Amino acid sequence: MTAPDAEPTPPPSGLSDRDRALLALERRSWAGPGAKERAIREELGISPVRYFQLLNALIEDERALREDPVTVNRLRRLKAARRERR
């Protein structure tokens, strides 16, 4: 039995619940302007700026690619396209 204050064992994929929540939010489609930002604040309790910082780091993580390859590859393509336009 583990102590109540012990660190939770990471799931087999190695991603935290927060990381999974970021990917799940990114998979959804959004009805209109501001809907995604509102959901980020309400569901994750973080600012949209912080969300995108975390998401950009997450899509470089191979564990995220194994967890949700479709979403991660789509985000990587979008990031590469933005980089090429600069």
Side-chain angles (χ1 to χ4, degrees):
M1 191 145 105
T2 62
D5 59 342
E7 286 290 318
T9 305
S13 71
L15 291 180
S16 68
D17 290 339
R18 182 190 68 188
D19 292 341
R20 274 195 203 78
L22 291 170
L23 291 172
L25 197 89
E26 198 56 36
R27 274 192 301 270
R28 293 168 36 189
S29 60
W30 303 100
K36 184 176 185 176
E37 288 77 10
R38 195 170 25 261
I40 291 167
R41 290 183 194 283
E42 292 173 1
E43 295 175 26
L44 301 176
I46 59 177
S47 73
V49 170
R50 183 67 180 140
Y51 168 81
F52 287 109
Q53 289 171 338
L54 293 170
L55 186 64
N56 277 318
L58 182 60
I59 65 172
E60 300 304 323
D61 190 330
E62 291 302 313
R63 295 173 298 177
L65 183 61
R66 285 192 303 271
E67 177 83 17
D68 190 347
V70 173
T71 302
V72 171
N73 281 325
R74 178 178 57 83
L75 293 170
R76 285 179 175 181
R77 282 191 307 273
L78 289 171
K79 185 176 180 179
R82 280 192 301 270
R83 195 174 325 138
E84 288 175 12
R85 282 189 299 239
R86 291 184 191 168

